[in-house]
Amino acid sequence: MPTTRDQMVDWLVDDTADTCSTDPGYLRSILREYWSAMSDEDLRRSYDELSPDEAGADCIDSGPTVTLRFRPQAWIRDNAFDVDPEQPDTWDIPVAILLNRFPTEDDWHEDYGARDDMRFEGRAPRWIREWSGPFEVELAPDAASPWELSATG
């Protein structure tokens, strides 16, 4: 297993490129396993070094996109209540990414864990990626249905 940052990058690029292009979850699973032993502080430091404000910039292509909305929440008497976001709370992701994880609208509504993970896709604002309280990720109210887009496209 690679031990230096450069070796890790080379390994990820060389040994996983073909698989990652056909299975976007593959690289995510590798990183989760490889860095699972990192302390929270080390993980935050690594995250900051990767320039999170630019995270996801390469995944936006010229294909159709869908707008997601982040609803930050706070716990009040063991219930999650929406709070007002102080910054932009929407961002775009490629429709292809959403449809790969949620082939049907029912999948979107049933798999809240995977839906919440969408906050790490596309150019989600940094504050959204770092939110530590409860939250929901949803399609923006005025967003076109990605399932209808795929049926017509």
Side-chain angles (χ1 to χ4, degrees), residues 105-122:
E105 195 168 357
D106 287 339
D107 294 330
W108 171 260
H109 292 291
E110 292 170 3
D111 193 348
Y112 63 89
R115 190 176 61 233
D116 287 352
D117 284 345
M118 297 305 287
R119 72 182 176 140
F120 299 111
E121 297 298 342

Side-chain angles (χ1 to χ4, degrees), residues 16-137:
T16 64
D18 292 337
T19 303
C20 291
S21 67
T22 58
D23 182 4
Y26 182 69
L27 182 57
R28 180 175 281 111
S29 68
I30 290 172
L31 293 174
R32 282 187 177 143
E33 181 178 335
Y34 187 77
W35 287 314
S36 64
M38 291 177 81
S39 71
D40 288 346
E41 184 176 315
D42 288 341
L43 192 57
R44 269 193 292 284
R45 190 174 23 254
S46 294
Y47 182 73
D48 288 341
E49 289 172 7
L50 293 173
S51 183
D53 290 331
E54 295 301 319
D58 294 337
C59 78
I60 304 294
D61 61 14
S62 60
T65 61
V66 63
T67 302
L68 298 179
R69 180 173 160 233
F70 185 82
R71 288 184 21 230
Q73 300 172 329
W75 290 113
I76 301 173
R77 295 186 182 182
D78 295 328
N79 292 299
F81 287 91
D82 288 351
V83 296
D84 292 331
E86 294 182 16
Q87 302 179 36
D89 62 349
T90 61
W91 71 102
D92 292 338
I93 65 163
V95 169
I97 289 177
L98 188 132
L99 293 176
N100 185 43
R101 298 225 184 101
F102 308 97
T104 68
E105 195 168 357
D106 287 339
D107 294 330
W108 171 260
H109 292 291
E110 292 170 3
D111 193 348
Y112 63 89
R115 190 176 61 233
D116 287 352
D117 284 345
M118 297 305 287
R119 72 182 176 140
F120 299 111
E121 297 298 342
R123 293 182 180 145
R126 182 178 185 160
W127 78 271
I128 289 174
R129 293 172 184 264
E130 294 178 348
W131 184 260
S132 62
F135 65 91
E136 291 286 335
V137 173

